[in-house]
Amino acid sequence: MSTFTKEIEYALNNGKYMLAVSLDCSGAFDCIKFDSAERCMKWKGIPDNITRWYVNLLKGRRVHAEVQGQATHIIPHRGSPQGGVLSPLIWNLIMDSLLTTFKGEPVQVLGYADDILLYVVGKSPAILANMMQNELKRVKEWGEVNGLTFNPSKTSMVLYTRSRRRIDVKVKMGGVPLQQENSLKYLGVEIQRNLSWTKHIKERTNKCKFLLGKCRSLVSKRWGLTPKKMEWIYKAVIRPKVAYGAVVWAHRITKGIERDLTRVQRLAMLTITQPLRSTPTAGMEAMLGWIPLSTHVQEMGMNTYLRIKELVQAGWDGIGHHTTIVGHLGVWKAVEEQCVGVLYPRGKRISEQIWTAASETEPEHRLEYPIMMYTDASKEGANVGYSWLASIGEYVIEENITPAKDISVFKAEMLAIGESLKWLQKNMDPMRRNIILSDSKSVVEKLNGHLAQDEMTRNIMVALRDLNARTPTEVIWIKGHSGIVGNELAALLAKEGAAQADKLLDTKPHMPVSRKEIKRKIHDHYMKAWQIKWESLVDCRISKQFYPLVREDKRIVKMSQKDLQLLTQTVTGHGLYKYHLGHWIELPDDDSCSLCQEGQEDTWHLWEWCPRLRKDRKVIRCLMEKGLAYEHGLLKMMRLKAVESLRARNETLLAS
Ligand SMILES: [Zn+2]
């Protein structure tokens, strides 16, 4: 999908046209011919006996069906078994034979499962139509050979262009003229003629709103889904539905799209918090710790980009000659550079099994004292230090400190062990065993396992294996800060390393940055974007006082429906307080606090200023210092008798 979008962006930004046809393949799995499966398997070099076995399996199947008591047996002559583990693979082989016939030609084919797409880019729509016409013939022939038919009435054709004027092109398939449409669906994403995504988003958000509506009917004030379950449904089921395909569209969120997205999130929040009418969405987001949906989909798009960027053919960086709009890959690349720097080495993901072998030779007398290596790592902000020291008996024979920047403690600990292994390779004694002691359980477990998933770990595991072949070497976990002298010393050295790191000017990470770290940095980037959005809002004055900083939160939804409702009213100020009511009704007097007559009556005043509540405030603050959560402190304040009666008074005001 990203490849296809990239091609459209290229065509549009360079003043060209793209003609695309999406084929509706009727049947797919249940239509393939046995001999075409056999041919493709041979073509891909699958051993004959396996091919024969599979073809026999296909031919020898019996299908039994029973409808209203009438049973039939048939022996199928085409199709692969529904749900068969090999069926998708065989299908892919057959599809591959189609894709390879188009390699290096102007008309390109994209395929994923049974979604087949043909496209061609050029300057003249008429010529494009002509080329497409020829290629469709070839696809049709290929389909006949493999037992597949295409349905012209369900096949859609789109001419992508920036021009608003509609240009008609004529292409026929099997004698039937193809319908020219304004958008085309590929892999479930509606891609419009002018590469606008409004239609796709509308469709998606409407579906999600419908789903949320259904959930909403399951939630009532006294029974039904708890806020926690509701949040789960939203984040695990509904939000991914909206974020689907974000990599191609989330970089171009227009006001309209943003509005649609916000509505979905709002609806989900309303179900959870059951607030008063007109409670601001942004305020509820800040309280629940839900990142705005338009920001979330951008993060998802960015994450997808990182995953696929090597798969999407390079060659065009997303910028056209007459650049008006940068393509999606160009936008994500810019964000990537902003978040993690231009030339960071990326951690390659590998999966390799490394098995240790026992030492080949066992000396007759082994010296009693092994070489003990203590390693440790320390981190303070961005400053990291790691260290090792070697000792025999009570004597420290070598020590080492390395300062570093911006790496995780796990990685630093790994590096410390790696460095100590380097030293051991040179200084080992075949008469002594080696013991490496680390207080990092995760590192020790990793090294004692067999699976390496990144290059650094692999190299260390290999070094460990090789050393172990020369003289027995073990990595053992010890409890940190438990008074083991070597460990305490290593910890001191590591701390010193971290202090030295402060003076390092070079902040570029020397180590490959792992995917996890990149993901974290990107998440931070979008959290920052949320904060900026939050601060630049004109309204939500009261919510901003309660939550000057936005954050993600997992605790709040654990509250009961009732608590959440009151909390929402408190932090947004949309509740039975004079300042808020003043927007809706005419107050008998002004909106000054009915407890103290001194300030404007709103929730922030009650929480922070109202002199009448000074004593209670002190008690609650004291509890908070002892560990009472902020939100529970707020609830306690709002449930004070004085505040309750204030609300009751205002309610009668509202009724009259
Ligand atoms: Zn007051």
Side-chain angles (χ1 to χ4, degrees):
M1 189 157 59
S2 181
T3 308
F4 182 51
T5 309
K6 183 189 79 171
E7 295 289 336
I8 304 174
E9 286 168 347
Y10 168 77
L12 263 48
N13 279 351
N14 288 292
K16 291 182 179 173
Y17 298 93
M18 176 202 265
L19 185 63
V21 172
S22 120
L23 293 174
D24 179 72
C25 199
S26 39
F29 283 155
D30 40 342
C31 279
I32 56 167
K33 286 187 182 168
F34 295 160
D35 56 338
S36 63
E38 191 175 352
R39 196 171 46 246
C40 286
M41 287 172 84
K42 280 203 174 122
W43 171 59
K44 280 281 168 185
I46 292 170
D48 277 347
N49 52 348
I50 295 178
T51 309
R52 265 201 311 278
W53 166 76
Y54 188 66
V55 172
N56 279 333
L57 173 95
L58 288 178
K59 287 185 179 161
R61 272 187 308 147
R62 268 163 218 279
V63 178
H64 174 78
E66 206 178 294
V67 179
Q68 293 181 341
Q70 293 240 328
T72 42
H73 289 274
I74 54 158
I75 296 171
H77 295 290
R78 49 164 51 192
S80 53
Q82 187 85 43
V85 282
L86 276 176
S87 300
L89 179 70
I90 298 301
W91 170 258
N92 283 347
L93 289 183
I94 293 174
M95 274 305 299
D96 199 38
S97 70
L98 174 69
L99 301 189
T100 42
T101 42
F102 283 88
K103 217 168 200 166
E105 290 189 23
V107 176
Q108 286 294 307
V109 185
L110 277 177
Y112 186 86
D114 59 347
D115 235 338
I116 304 172
L117 193 69
L118 276 86
Y119 66 86
V120 57
V121 177
K123 284 206 163 149
S124 152
I127 293 175
L128 295 183
N130 214 338
M131 287 161 103
M132 187 58 81
Q133 183 69 69
N134 290 335
E135 298 310 324
L136 276 179
K137 225 178 269 164
R138 256 169 78 190
V139 174
K140 198 165 177 289
E141 281 163 16
W142 170 85
E144 276 161 12
V145 170
N146 291 293
L148 299 168
T149 48
F150 301 104
N151 186 350
S153 65
K154 280 192 195 163
T155 296
S156 43
M157 175 172 71
V158 178
L159 183 70
Y160 288 94
T161 162
R162 220 181 261 310
S163 109
R164 279 161 198 258
R165 201 164 50 85
R166 195 186 152 101
I167 302 160
D168 284 314
V169 287
K170 289 190 176 65
V171 177
K172 284 182 181 175
M173 195 168 136
V176 187
L178 291 180
Q179 198 78 26
Q180 188 177 343
E181 280 162 56
N182 284 329
S183 73
L184 162 159
K185 207 169 200 163
Y186 181 57
L187 299 178
V189 175
E190 200 70 51
I191 307 173
Q192 276 166 268
R193 193 168 77 96
N194 55 357
L195 216 51
S196 146
W197 304 98
T198 43
K199 189 178 172 197
H200 172 71
I201 302 294
K202 262 261 144 48
E203 241 173 54
R204 283 271 156 168
T205 49
N206 282 343
K207 251 183 223 165
C208 290
K209 277 191 270 184
F210 174 77
L211 279 174
L212 278 167
K214 280 204 151 174
C215 293
R216 215 175 165 188
S217 64
L218 297 176
V219 178
S220 121
K221 281 194 178 141
R222 267 189 267 146
W223 50 268
L225 291 170
T226 59
K228 200 168 167 240
K229 287 198 182 106
M230 198 51 221
E231 186 195 55
W232 180 84
I233 291 178
Y234 176 64
K235 289 195 172 170
V237 182
I238 295 185
R239 212 165 61 165
K241 265 191 204 298
V242 179
Y244 177 74
V247 67
V248 297
W249 58 262
H251 66 296
R252 278 184 69 191
I253 293 181
T254 57
K255 283 241 156 67
I257 291 178
E258 172 139 25
R259 210 166 32 238
D260 284 339
L261 294 174
T262 308
R263 275 196 200 123
V264 173
Q265 181 134 306
R266 179 177 176 82
L267 197 59
M269 289 191 296
L270 294 182
T271 315
I272 287 178
T273 60
Q274 310 241 329
L276 295 185
R277 234 165 8 122
S278 81
T279 304
T281 307
M284 285 193 280
E285 283 170 346
M287 180 195 83
L288 286 173
W290 286 13
I291 191 163
L293 193 50
S294 57
T295 315
H296 171 77
V297 293
Q298 286 179 50
E299 188 182 341
M300 292 298 111
M302 183 66 205
N303 283 334
T304 310
Y305 163 77
L306 288 174
R307 206 174 59 237
I308 64 165
K309 67 176 183 175
E310 270 124 66
L311 297 174
V312 182
Q313 293 153 342
W316 184 58
D317 59 359
I319 302 164
H321 291 305
H322 324 282
T323 311
T324 41
I325 297 162
V326 181
H328 71 289
L329 295 173
V331 174
W332 298 132
K333 196 173 165 211
V335 178
E336 182 190 15
E337 284 172 5
Q338 202 187 330
C339 291
V340 279
V342 188
L343 285 172
Y344 64 92
R346 264 172 310 100
K348 238 198 226 146
R349 244 175 102 116
I350 56 167
S351 181
E352 209 176 302
Q353 302 246 344
I354 292 155
W355 300 92
T356 43
S359 306
E360 286 164 13
T361 50
E362 184 67 16
E364 279 179 20
H365 312 284
R366 203 175 274 293
L367 292 172
E368 185 187 349
Y369 291 110
I371 300 183
M372 307 280 267
M373 306 291 290
Y374 293 92
T375 64
D376 200 22
S378 161
K379 184 168 181 173
E380 235 166 277
N383 298 328
V384 185
Y386 55 91
S387 68
W388 58 264
L389 65 90
S391 66
I392 296 176
E394 284 175 357
Y395 303 98
V396 173
I397 52 174
E398 185 76 52
E399 58 180 47
N400 183 280
I401 303 175
T402 314
K405 280 235 185 234
D406 263 336
I407 54 172
S408 64
V409 177
F410 179 87
K411 196 165 263 172
E413 192 80 43
M414 269 291 182
L415 285 166
I417 293 183
E419 295 289 320
S420 67
L421 283 170
K422 264 190 211 155
W423 184 84
L424 276 174
Q425 275 163 356
K426 282 191 207 131
N427 300 288
M428 61 155 273
D429 179 347
M431 301 296 282
R432 285 184 204 277
R433 293 185 303 130
N434 300 319
I435 297 176
I436 300 169
L437 300 120
S438 161
D439 59 14
S440 161
K441 208 165 199 168
S442 49
V443 168
V444 172
E445 270 168 14
K446 188 92 216 164
L447 290 178
N448 284 326
H450 304 289
L451 187 67
Q453 282 169 311
D454 62 83
E455 282 181 334
M456 179 182 64
T457 312
R458 198 251 326 265
N459 293 343
I460 292 173
M461 284 167 86
V462 168
L464 192 61
R465 178 193 65 191
D466 295 348
L467 191 67
N468 190 48
R470 293 164 66 195
T471 184
T473 307
E474 276 178 283
V475 182
I476 292 173
W477 177 73
I478 46 170
K479 201 170 178 318
H481 312 293
S482 58
I484 298 169
V485 180
N487 179 251
E488 300 288 340
L489 276 174
L492 278 177
L493 294 175
K495 271 225 172 73
E496 203 186 318
Q500 287 175 13
D502 201 27
K503 291 181 202 103
L504 287 183
L505 289 175
D506 185 8
T507 56
K508 247 180 261 153
H510 299 277
M511 289 293 99
V513 184
S514 70
R515 263 156 210 269
K516 212 169 150 194
E517 279 168 69
I518 295 173
K519 238 179 158 173
R520 205 201 64 229
K521 282 194 173 163
I522 283 163
H523 184 65
D524 291 347
H525 171 82
Y526 286 108
M527 287 300 284
K528 232 180 263 166
W530 178 16
Q531 180 69 30
I532 292 167
K533 209 184 229 178
W534 178 230
E535 280 170 28
S536 61
L537 276 180
V538 200
D539 45 3
C540 293
R541 186 183 61 88
I542 293 177
S543 312
K544 276 184 195 159
Q545 283 170 311
F546 281 105
Y547 289 105
L549 295 174
V550 292
R551 83 275 173 254
E552 280 194 307
D553 197 291
K554 295 207 169 73
R555 295 165 303 125
I556 294 213
V557 283
K558 287 185 186 156
M559 289 185 185
S560 70
Q561 181 91 59
K562 227 169 122 200
D563 284 356
L564 259 177
Q565 194 174 21
L566 182 61
L567 187 66
T568 312
Q569 292 181 5
T570 308
V571 301
T572 60
H574 284 230
L576 292 164
Y577 308 97
K578 276 191 194 162
Y579 171 70
H580 174 66
L581 294 178
H583 296 298
W584 301 94
I585 55 164
E586 196 148 337
L587 297 168
D589 42 6
D590 58 2
D591 61 3
S592 60
C593 174
S594 45
L595 294 179
C596 66
Q597 265 80 37
E598 277 176 35
Q600 189 180 56
E601 184 185 296
D602 61 37
T603 45
W604 184 251
H605 165 81
L606 296 170
W607 169 247
E608 193 72 35
W609 301 113
C610 189
R612 277 281 302 277
L613 300 170
R614 191 181 294 138
K615 259 192 194 157
D616 300 298
R617 189 174 299 118
K618 227 176 177 174
V619 173
I620 291 169
R621 292 291 149 93
C622 200
L623 286 171
M624 278 168 61
E625 263 164 44
K626 281 181 190 149
L628 183 73
Y630 178 50
E631 284 77 15
H632 288 285
L634 286 173
L635 286 177
K636 243 192 167 70
M637 194 79 168
M638 294 302 145
R639 290 219 167 102
L640 290 173
K641 272 232 172 72
V643 183
E644 295 252 17
S645 61
L646 176 147
R647 277 203 299 270
R649 233 178 339 218
N650 288 337
E651 195 163 13
T652 54
L653 216 62
L654 196 61
S656 63

